[in-house]
């Protein structure tokens, strides 16, 4: 009886001890093991696919499970204690400001799902940050999606994150405008091959090149240790060690930011923006934290996270757009003579024609999506047999399995369009809101305001174009430059009825909106607020449905950041476009754009920005012979598991030779790139080797789509010093030869065959 009582007491004692009393908590996936201590710090991150397990957590630098940020005080809080309950898979973190966070930690086969369940009391916290998660990896940093990669054969491991909902963004909580600065950071991917000069150190920051206006001139450093940054989800310390982080914000809080995407450049100095409050909170923010062999991470881990968590997973020919076998160049038209463009594209094995010679497609909801008129009466696409509308041309292309597309200016509302002028919308994004102090007639140019703060700034962080500096009162746009320094505060250099709006009487205490705008050079426009931007996104889906488009080159894509919501704005824009497209029965809209961000990473399949010798010079065989743009974009995209673009490039002309395009295709397959092949019908018809070039490109594209190139072969193809020739044996087999640069001295290199499942 006494013995049974002792057993009962022991059993009761063990059963009532919460698992959370332990000093360390261990969590495993198939490939990855982390350890979290009772202070809420990750003290170990191990690759468990090797023996002994390799440790990736720096011994002197444990990682914060989740930190809290008070943007008004510019203060981070890290947890002081952590307790974990196995049954509910919940960790409770306590912070020195009094806040208590509840986080669910759910181990999956390939990743850990981390979700913020609650935070109370808030005590000034408006942003939460997952991480930083510090690693000892010093090789490649994927700053857009947040990944640290060691691609060496001896290590072959990556640790990364993905946002599992739109409210969660890549990067640091302190990021102004939720879009990280566009700048250079010093980081060498291999200290032995590329040792840093003595006057530079890891993590050092530099501005971009150029005048801040010409985007080509931004790319100003060919040295491998100058790493251009398109995000801050991955950063390096002074040792070159890579850390990763994500964040989520309470967007319902009114706030003012001082934002520029390029804050270090005088031509793009920050502007003050009163950010539109939105009913979006950080509770529910969720991320996937994963670790796996780098060589299989994209398709085996990241794709499975995307599918399991129902993230955007667009496909082409049944394959995920991130699958290297789905990469394919596009045709880019010039000359506006299109008799043979569809035939060329089909023979090349390409799937899309970008009608670049048609100029900018401006967002104008006034046409209800009918860009060629309600009855398709406009015929802008020239054929010898008679000009056609977009709809007619798209129907012709569809017979060959080819889609067509245009280049919009993203969310820019150009003058003369429904939402801009002559009757501007009441749903425009503004930088500042003020009050009219004294009523004015339709002819008055003396406009008195209640508060001059920030009204002296030239609108938009980008370019600060004086002719776009305007306010809106009622339905009138008014141009001005400057504001008086003394009371009564008066707008200077006033022009009434701007952009052909109607000058009107305005009463004392009427609201004055200083509008957020874009930039000149054909991009001129106003920025919509978030609700109107939703409508613009849907408008682009409607254009596709009505006119048969399925491709966009979103120039001015950075304008999606202009409302102050950064990557959230981008996710919401493309999410709305694809949601509407699905409702309308439109399949995947393939798109490229002026930039790449975590907001567009899931949706965007290509990034063909710029072109010519700035991207890849096929003559000198280097990544950017005139600027460093090719090298910079290659490094960014490769580190973030995204295909690098070679831009609008490689025009076929009378002097073109087939061996040039064998090399271009070898690099494209080897590195994992796309490009937009410039096609001018007159030039192509004047090329004696036209048919041989078409055949060569098509052979490479067929083999790529068959996933016929193993990694070791791609490594060879990516070497610009080597030359290759590919021949088709049949639909499933190819022979790859090494040659001299002129195509001679052909020697068998390897036999290739179609991969299973492709």
């Amino acid at each position: 009886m006494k013995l049974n009582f002792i057993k009962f007491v022991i059993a009761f004692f063990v059963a009532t001890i919460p698992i959370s009393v332990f000093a360390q908590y261990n969590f495993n996936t198939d490939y990855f093991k982390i350890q979290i201590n009772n202070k809420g710090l990750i003290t170990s991150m191990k690759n468990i696919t090797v023996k002994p397990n390799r440790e990736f957590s720096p011994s002197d630098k444990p990682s914060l499970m989740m930190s809290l940020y008070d943007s008004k005080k510019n203060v981070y809080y890290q947890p002081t204690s952590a307790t974990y309950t196995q049954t509910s898979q919940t960790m409770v973190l306590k912070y020195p400001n009094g806040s208590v966070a509840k986080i669910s930690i759910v181990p999956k086969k390939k990743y850990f799902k981390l979700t913020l369940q609650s935070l109370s009391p808030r005590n000034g916290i408006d942003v939460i940050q997952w991480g930083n998660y510090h690693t000892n990896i010093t090789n490649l940093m994927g700053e857009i999606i947040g990944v640290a990669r060691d691609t060496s054969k001896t290590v072959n491991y990556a640790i990364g994150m993905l946002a599992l909902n739109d409210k969660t963004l890549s990067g640091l909580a302190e990021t102004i405008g939720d879009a990280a600065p566009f700048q250079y950071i010093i980081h060498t991917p291999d200290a032995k091959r590329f040792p840093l000069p003595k006057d530079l150190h890891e993590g050092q920051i530099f501005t971009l090149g150029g005048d801040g206006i010409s985007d080509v001139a931004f790319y100003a450093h060919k040295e491998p240790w100058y790493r251009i940054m398109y995000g801050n989800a991955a950063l390096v310390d002074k040792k070159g060690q890579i850390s990763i982080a994500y964040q989520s914000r309470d967007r319902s809080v009114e706030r003012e930011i001082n934002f520029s995407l390029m804050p270090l450049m005088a031509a793009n100095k920050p502007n003050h923006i009163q950010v539109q409050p939105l009913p979006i909170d950080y509770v529910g923010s969720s991320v996937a934290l994963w670790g796996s062999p780098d060589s299989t991470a994209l398709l085996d881990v990241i794709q499975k996270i995307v599918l399991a968590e129902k993230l955007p997973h667009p496909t082409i020919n049944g394959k995920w757009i991130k699958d290297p076998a789905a990469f394919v160049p596009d045709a880019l038209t010039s000359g506006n003579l299109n008799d043979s463009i569809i035939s060329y594209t089909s023979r090349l094995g390409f799937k899309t024609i970008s009608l670049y010679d048609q100029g900018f497609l401006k967002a104008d909801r006034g046409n209800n999506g009918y860009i060629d008129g309600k009855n398709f009466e406009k015929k802008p696409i020239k054929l010898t047999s008679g000009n056609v509308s977009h709809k007619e041309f798209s129907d012709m292309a569809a017979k060959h399995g080819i889609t067509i597309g245009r280049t919009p200016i993203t969310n820019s509302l150009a003058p003369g369009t429904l939402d801009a002028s002559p009757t501007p919308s009441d749903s425009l994004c503004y930088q500042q809101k003020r009050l009219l102090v004294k009523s004015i007639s339709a002819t008055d140019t003396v406009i008195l305001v209640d508060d001059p703060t920030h009204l002296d700034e030239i609108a938009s962080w980008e370019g600060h174009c004086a002719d776009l500096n305007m306010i809106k009162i009622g339905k009138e746009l008014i141009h001005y430059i400057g504001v008086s320094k003394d009371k009564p505060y008066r707008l200077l250099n006033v022009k009434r009825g701007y952009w052909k709006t109607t000058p009107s009487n305005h009463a004392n205490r009427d609201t004055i909106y200083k509008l957020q705008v874009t930039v000149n050079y054909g991009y001129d426009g106003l920025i919509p607020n978030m609700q109107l931007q939703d409508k613009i996104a849907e408008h682009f889906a409607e254009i596709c449905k009505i006119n048969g488009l399925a491709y966009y080159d979103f120039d001015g894509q950075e304008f999606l950041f202009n409302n102050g919501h950064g990557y959230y704005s981008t996710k919401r824009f493309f999410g709305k476009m694809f949601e509407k497209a699905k409702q309308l029965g439109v399949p995947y809209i393939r798109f490229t754009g002026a930039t790449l961000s975590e907001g567009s990473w899931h949706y965007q399949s290509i990034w063909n920005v710029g072109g010519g010798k700035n991207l890849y010079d096929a003559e000198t065989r280097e990544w950017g012979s005139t600027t460093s743009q090719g090298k910079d974009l290659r490094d960014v995209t490769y580190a973030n598991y995204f295909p690098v673009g070679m831009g609008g490039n490689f025009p076929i002309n009378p002097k073109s030779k087939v061996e040039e395009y064998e090399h271009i295709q070898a690099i494209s397959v080897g590195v994992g790139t796309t490009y937009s092949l410039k096609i001018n019908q007159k030039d192509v018809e004047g090329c004696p080797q036209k048919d041989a070039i078409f055949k060569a490109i098509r052979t490479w594209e067929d083999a790529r789509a068959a996933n016929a190139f193993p990694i070791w072969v791609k490594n060879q193809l990516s070497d610009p010093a080597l030359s290759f020739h590919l021949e088709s044996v049949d639909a499933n087999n190819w022979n790859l030869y090494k040659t001299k640069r002129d195509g001679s001295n052909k020697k068998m290199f390897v036999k290739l065959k179609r991969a299973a499942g492709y």
Side-chain angles (χ1 to χ4, degrees):
M1 187 71 178
K2 184 176 182 181
L3 182 61
N4 288 338
F5 176 74
I6 293 172
K7 287 181 178 179
F8 170 77
V9 171
I10 293 173
F12 176 80
F13 180 70
V14 171
T16 55
I17 295 177
I19 297 175
S20 55
V21 301
F22 296 122
Q24 302 282 354
Y25 311 107
N26 295 308
F27 305 90
N28 290 64
T29 69
D30 288 353
Y31 308 135
F32 193 36
K33 178 180 179 180
I34 63 172
Q35 189 175 80
I36 306 173
N37 71 10
N38 59 10
K39 299 290 186 182
L41 299 174
I42 299 176
T43 55
S44 177
M45 293 187 286
K46 289 183 177 180
N47 174 8
I48 58 175
T49 69
V50 296
K51 298 292 184 181
N53 298 167
R54 183 183 287 270
E55 179 64 73
F56 287 99
S57 176
S59 59
D60 61 340
K61 201 174 183 181
S63 303
L64 295 170
M65 185 65 190
M66 190 182 81
S67 54
L68 308 180
Y69 184 64
D70 182 331
S71 64
K72 290 183 179 179
K73 296 180 179 179
N74 193 25
V75 172
Y76 282 95
Y77 298 97
Q78 68 180 58
T80 55
S81 70
T83 55
Y84 182 72
T85 305
Q86 177 68 45
T87 53
S88 62
Q89 297 182 307
T90 301
M91 178 168 282
V92 176
L93 300 175
K94 295 183 178 180
Y95 295 84
N97 71 325
S99 294
V100 177
K102 291 184 179 180
I103 299 171
S104 67
I105 304 177
V106 182
K108 307 284 187 176
K109 286 179 64 64
K110 302 293 174 71
Y111 63 101
F112 302 114
K113 182 175 182 178
L114 314 177
T115 305
L116 176 62
Q117 296 179 330
S118 65
L119 181 71
S120 180
R122 302 212 167 187
N123 292 341
I125 301 305
D126 54 338
V127 196
I128 63 99
Q129 180 174 302
W130 300 100
N132 287 345
Y133 300 145
H134 304 296
T135 77
N136 56 26
I137 295 173
T138 60
N139 183 201
L140 302 182
M141 58 172 170
E143 80 282 16
I144 293 175
I145 61 169
V147 59
R149 300 177 59 186
D150 190 319
T151 60
S152 66
K153 290 182 180 179
T154 54
V155 179
N156 184 29
Y157 203 75
I159 296 173
M161 301 173 72
L162 276 184
L164 300 184
N165 48 39
D166 285 356
K167 68 172 62 181
T168 309
L169 309 179
S170 69
L172 305 178
E174 65 197 65
T175 305
I176 298 172
D178 295 324
F182 184 28
Q183 57 199 11
Y184 277 110
I185 192 170
I186 298 300
H187 173 63
T188 176
D190 189 328
K192 291 183 179 180
R193 292 178 61 203
F194 310 115
L196 294 184
K198 292 182 180 180
D199 60 334
L200 297 176
H201 63 79
E202 288 278 349
Q204 198 171 350
I205 293 173
F206 290 90
T207 185
L208 304 174
D211 58 7
I213 297 172
S214 170
D215 55 357
V216 170
F218 294 158
Y219 307 94
H221 290 282
K222 294 186 178 182
E223 303 92 331
W225 46 81
Y226 275 90
R227 174 62 155 79
I228 209 157
M229 298 292 284
Y230 273 82
N232 61 0
L235 293 169
V236 295
D237 62 16
K238 290 185 178 181
K239 296 180 181 179
Q241 298 179 131
I242 301 168
S243 300
I244 56 179
Y246 270 67
Q247 57 96 351
S248 186
R249 180 182 301 280
D250 179 0
R251 298 187 182 279
S252 67
V253 178
E254 291 190 10
R255 58 196 171 101
E256 182 175 83
I257 62 172
N258 194 25
F259 173 76
S260 170
L261 192 64
M262 293 172 265
L264 300 180
M265 304 193 79
N268 297 298
K269 59 189 178 185
N271 267 166
H272 290 84
I273 308 168
Q274 294 175 341
V275 181
Q276 179 187 1
L278 299 172
I280 308 294
D281 188 34
Y282 49 62
V283 171
S285 171
S286 188
V287 295
L289 173 63
W290 58 271
S292 84
D294 179 75
S295 57
T296 56
L298 177 63
L299 299 181
D300 180 49
V301 178
I302 297 177
Q303 180 172 214
K304 289 180 179 175
I305 294 171
V306 167
L307 290 170
E309 299 296 335
K310 295 181 172 52
L311 299 176
H313 185 263
T315 60
I316 295 176
N317 297 329
K319 298 299 179 185
W320 188 34
I321 58 173
K322 300 295 185 294
D323 186 332
F327 300 167
V328 61
D330 307 302
L332 185 77
T333 62
S334 69
N336 197 16
L337 181 59
N338 302 284
D339 301 299
S340 301
I341 299 301
I342 293 172
S343 173
Y344 294 163
T345 306
S346 178
R347 292 174 64 188
L348 289 162
F350 297 175
K351 306 300 181 185
T352 297
I353 299 170
S354 174
L355 297 169
Y356 195 72
D357 48 12
Q358 294 297 319
F360 285 140
L361 177 66
K362 298 177 180 179
D364 185 1
R365 295 191 307 134
N367 61 30
N368 294 310
Y370 290 87
I371 58 178
D372 290 331
K374 190 71 174 178
N375 299 306
F376 307 104
E377 60 270 18
K378 298 176 184 177
K379 311 289 184 181
I381 301 169
K382 293 182 180 179
L383 301 174
T384 303
S385 60
N387 299 347
V388 296
S389 66
H390 287 82
K391 181 68 171 67
E392 291 167 322
F393 195 66
S394 70
D395 288 342
M396 294 164 60
K399 294 176 182 178
H400 299 266
I402 294 169
T403 58
I404 68 168
R406 289 285 303 275
T407 301
I409 322 177
T410 315
N411 61 341
S412 175
L413 305 176
T417 60
L418 175 69
D419 295 303
S421 68
T423 308
S425 170
D426 291 330
S427 299
L428 297 173
C429 177
Y430 58 85
Q431 290 186 325
Q432 303 293 328
K433 183 168 69 173
R434 299 288 185 264
L435 294 175
L436 188 63
V437 168
K438 182 181 178 182
S439 62
I440 57 175
S441 71
T443 58
D444 282 335
T445 56
V446 176
I447 299 178
L448 303 182
V449 299
D450 63 331
D451 182 358
T453 306
H454 307 316
L455 295 185
D456 58 332
E457 296 177 350
I458 303 296
S460 180
W461 61 269
E462 187 173 5
H464 307 293
C465 301
D467 63 337
L468 294 180
N469 199 64
M470 64 186 92
I471 60 170
K472 175 180 172 290
I473 309 178
K475 291 294 184 180
E476 182 185 0
L477 300 181
I478 301 171
H479 180 266
Y480 81 99
I481 297 290
V483 61
S484 62
K485 296 181 180 179
D486 301 316
K487 286 186 175 181
Y489 301 116
R490 172 185 175 184
L491 300 183
L492 305 177
N493 304 295
V494 169
K495 296 179 183 177
R496 299 292 302 274
Y498 204 54
W499 277 12
K500 299 182 179 180
T501 57
T502 303
S504 307
N505 299 332
H506 302 292
N508 181 32
R509 310 302 289 177
D510 275 359
T511 302
I512 298 172
Y513 298 97
K514 177 178 172 60
L515 298 179
Q516 177 63 299
V517 299
T518 57
V519 69
N520 289 158
Y521 321 108
Y523 299 89
D524 314 53
L526 306 176
I527 296 295
N529 72 6
M530 194 62 77
Q531 288 75 22
L532 180 53
Q533 182 174 290
D534 291 346
K535 297 297 183 183
I536 298 299
E538 293 174 348
H539 174 63
F540 282 122
E542 291 163 351
I543 289 174
C544 288
K545 174 64 175 178
I546 293 168
N547 302 280
L549 273 62
Y551 169 95
Y552 283 129
D553 177 357
F554 281 109
D555 210 342
Q557 195 174 344
E558 73 275 13
F559 299 153
L560 293 171
F561 304 154
N562 282 24
N563 55 31
H565 286 288
Y567 305 148
Y568 171 77
S569 172
T570 310
K571 289 183 179 183
R572 182 160 165 166
F573 178 83
F574 290 117
K576 291 288 184 182
M577 183 179 76
F578 279 98
E579 180 183 3
K580 184 66 174 181
K582 185 177 181 180
Q583 292 173 4
L584 296 173
V586 176
Y588 174 63
I589 303 170
R590 178 174 170 85
F591 77 91
T592 179
T595 190
L596 177 69
S597 71
E598 189 258 334
S600 65
W601 188 89
H602 286 285
Y603 299 98
Q604 189 168 333
S605 56
I606 49 177
W607 191 19
N608 282 323
V609 60
K613 297 182 184 298
N614 300 307
L615 271 297
Y616 187 80
D617 188 332
E619 293 180 14
T620 62
R621 296 193 171 194
E622 60 184 311
W623 286 93
S625 59
T626 53
T627 72
S628 66
Q629 186 176 16
K631 180 271 291 184
D632 287 334
L633 298 188
R634 178 200 63 195
D635 292 350
V636 167
T637 51
Y638 185 83
N640 286 282
Y641 301 112
F642 197 89
V644 62
M646 293 170 162
N649 220 339
F650 319 125
I652 298 176
N653 57 55
K655 295 182 180 179
S656 296
K657 296 181 179 180
V658 68
E659 54 266 21
E660 298 171 6
Y661 294 89
E662 293 261 24
H663 172 68
I664 291 163
Q665 287 296 136
I667 291 293
S668 182
V669 171
V671 175
T673 83
T674 62
Y675 60 90
S676 295
L677 182 67
K678 283 189 175 180
I679 295 182
N680 180 298
Q681 184 170 309
K682 290 183 179 180
D683 290 342
V684 172
E685 289 305 313
C687 178
Q689 296 193 25
K690 173 191 71 174
D691 294 330
I693 290 170
F694 284 173
K695 181 180 178 181
I697 293 175
R698 178 59 179 264
T699 301
W700 282 92
E701 288 305 314
D702 286 347
R704 168 156 46 186
N707 198 25
F709 300 93
I711 291 176
W712 71 269
V713 173
K714 288 183 178 181
N715 289 338
Q716 291 279 302
L717 296 175
S718 65
D719 185 347
L722 301 179
S723 297
F724 298 89
H725 168 66
L726 186 67
E727 290 183 0
S728 173
V729 177
D730 55 37
N732 299 308
N733 294 276
W734 296 264
N735 290 335
L736 182 63
Y737 300 87
K738 281 191 174 181
T739 71
K740 288 188 176 181
R741 184 162 177 164
D742 63 1
S744 65
N745 197 31
K746 186 173 69 172
K747 293 182 180 180
M748 184 67 185
F749 176 50
V750 64
K751 293 181 180 295
L752 304 171
K753 64 180 181 179
R754 183 180 300 273
Y758 290 84

